Amino acid sequence: YEIRLSLVGSEMCIRDRVSTQSTGKFDLFVLPEGVKKVELQKDTKIQNAALFTVQKEDHTVGNLIRMQLHRDPEVLFAGYRMPHPLEHKIVVKVQTTPNSEPKRAFNKALTELISELSMIEDKFKVLFYYSLHHSPFLPL
């Protein structure tokens, strides 16, 4: 069982090697030719707001991004939705203060999430290695 985290531009994806070995499951995370992972569309009705369409993601990543955006004091509103349960994409809406831009807040949230997930992965590896080579009880 292997979990991989990868970053390409401002793209975050979590893959499970075991679940992708069967045919048809690739459609859940492999982008078709010419499709961008993230697309930005400025909101014409609300100032300092934008919609980010993230392809091949679901509620797991949508909620992580939304919660990370809420930690930013420059973000006034952050929410996401899945347009349809059979469409594997999420739409994240971000509104910022006049001092910031939605794109900057979105990129900052992704960077911070990747950093946090990397830290969790490192801690997991240390604990896993420790459990293999020592007693099952961790020192306090």
Side-chain angles (χ1 to χ4, degrees):
Y1 190 80
E2 180 179 319
I3 296 176
R4 291 187 178 179
L5 304 174
S6 65
L7 170 68
V8 178
S10 58
E11 156 186 345
M12 179 182 63
C13 56
I14 301 170
R15 296 184 194 174
D16 180 347
R17 190 178 74 184
V18 174
S19 68
T20 60
Q21 289 177 349
S22 61
T23 57
K25 300 257 180 164
F26 287 105
D27 295 338
L28 299 177
F29 66 87
V30 175
L31 290 172
E33 195 72 30
V35 175
K36 292 182 180 179
K37 179 69 175 180
V38 180
E39 290 185 13
L40 167 67
Q41 179 183 353
K42 292 196 176 202
D43 194 321
T44 56
K45 297 177 184 176
I46 302 172
Q47 195 172 25
N48 287 351
L51 298 170
F52 297 89
T53 302
V54 186
Q55 298 293 334
K56 304 298 182 182
E57 296 299 348
D58 60 12
H59 291 290
T60 304
V61 172
N63 200 37
L64 282 169
I65 294 170
R66 180 185 66 85
M67 292 303 294
Q68 191 65 40
L69 284 163
H70 281 293
R71 292 178 179 176
D72 188 344
E74 297 291 321
V75 173
L76 299 175
F77 174 82
Y80 82 95
R81 65 184 177 90
M82 277 189 76
H84 192 276
L86 298 177
E87 288 183 63
H88 298 287
K89 69 179 179 180
I90 56 172
V91 179
V92 181
K93 185 170 187 170
V94 181
Q95 182 184 8
T96 61
T97 63
N99 302 333
S100 187
E101 296 176 355
K103 184 177 180 180
R104 186 180 322 147
F106 190 79
N107 286 335
K108 180 182 170 188
L110 289 181
T111 302
E112 290 172 351
L113 266 175
I114 289 166
S115 174
E116 215 171 307
L117 289 171
S118 294
M119 184 179 67
I120 291 169
E121 181 183 27
D122 292 343
K123 286 182 179 181
F124 176 81
K125 286 178 181 177
V126 167
L127 291 174
F128 184 73
Y129 177 81
Y130 186 87
S131 70
L132 289 177
H133 296 84
H134 296 84
S135 73
F137 302 103
L138 295 174
L140 296 178

